[in-house]
Amino acid sequence: MVHYTTVATCALNQWALDFEGNYQRIRESILRAKALNARLRVGPELEIPGYGCYDHFLERDTVQHSWDVLARLLEDRSLDDILIDTGMPVLHRDTRYNCRVVILNGKIVLIRPKMYLANDGNYRELRWFVGWTKRAETEDFVLPRFIA
């Protein structure tokens, strides 16, 4: 027997460091995906702070404000019952990673750092992030206190 599911992919008009506006657009895209009976909603890379933050990625405030937005997504019960894949910078052991954060019903299911960073042409991801090198391994991650 074949089982089908609906996946919602989003190309949002995110702005660098517009945390409130980015949150609103992310939230609206999740609600629209739910209205279309999607079971998984996948957003753009670094959608929480906006991809074009450039050297602002080096500032801890950018990471902190990204966690603040994620906390709002986790607390919003109207966003339950859909698997949400979003993107944000994450510090792990004082190293900055470009991560996918997967959440479901107010819980973080997975934090997945990007392994292969774009570093040619217009892209300089290695300036701001480190690629994850531990293939097929997991590590414990200590969440910020206001998330845990």
Side-chain angles (χ1 to χ4, degrees):
M1 177 184 277
V2 177
H3 296 278
Y4 293 98
T5 191
T6 301
V7 176
T9 60
C10 306
L12 304 178
N13 186 22
Q14 301 299 72
W15 290 80
L17 304 175
D18 179 13
F19 292 98
E20 180 59 30
N22 291 349
Y23 164 75
Q24 292 298 335
R25 287 181 288 276
I26 292 166
R27 184 178 184 278
E28 177 61 26
S29 73
I30 297 166
L31 293 173
R32 287 179 67 188
K34 284 183 66 172
L36 295 169
N37 295 314
R39 305 295 294 152
L40 169 63
R41 180 265 185 203
V42 181
E45 180 176 12
L46 296 167
E47 74 175 324
I48 290 178
Y51 187 85
C53 290
Y54 301 110
D55 283 353
H56 291 288
F57 283 125
L58 301 174
E59 300 169 9
R60 288 187 182 262
D61 278 0
T62 303
V63 175
Q64 177 62 47
H65 293 313
S66 296
W67 280 110
D68 294 340
V69 169
L70 186 71
R72 291 175 68 187
L73 295 171
L74 292 168
E75 292 167 358
D76 190 339
R77 298 285 52 95
S78 70
L79 306 180
D80 282 356
D81 302 321
I82 185 170
L83 192 62
I84 302 165
D85 180 343
T86 189
M88 63 181 263
V90 172
L91 283 172
H92 177 58
R93 298 189 180 169
D94 217 28
T95 302
R96 189 173 296 98
Y97 295 97
N98 173 351
C99 292
R100 303 305 300 169
V101 180
V102 179
I103 63 177
L104 178 65
N105 297 338
K107 303 285 185 199
I108 296 173
V109 177
L110 173 73
I111 300 174
R112 176 68 167 111
K114 189 173 180 179
M115 295 181 75
Y116 304 104
L117 301 173
N119 205 50
D120 60 353
N122 292 329
Y123 303 100
R124 297 285 176 262
E125 290 182 2
L126 285 173
R127 178 179 173 100
W128 308 298
F129 303 106
V130 172
W132 186 256
T133 59
K134 298 179 181 180
R135 195 180 270 305
E137 291 182 39
T138 61
E139 287 192 11
D140 290 334
F141 180 79
V142 178
L143 294 169
R145 286 180 203 216
F146 65 95
I147 297 288

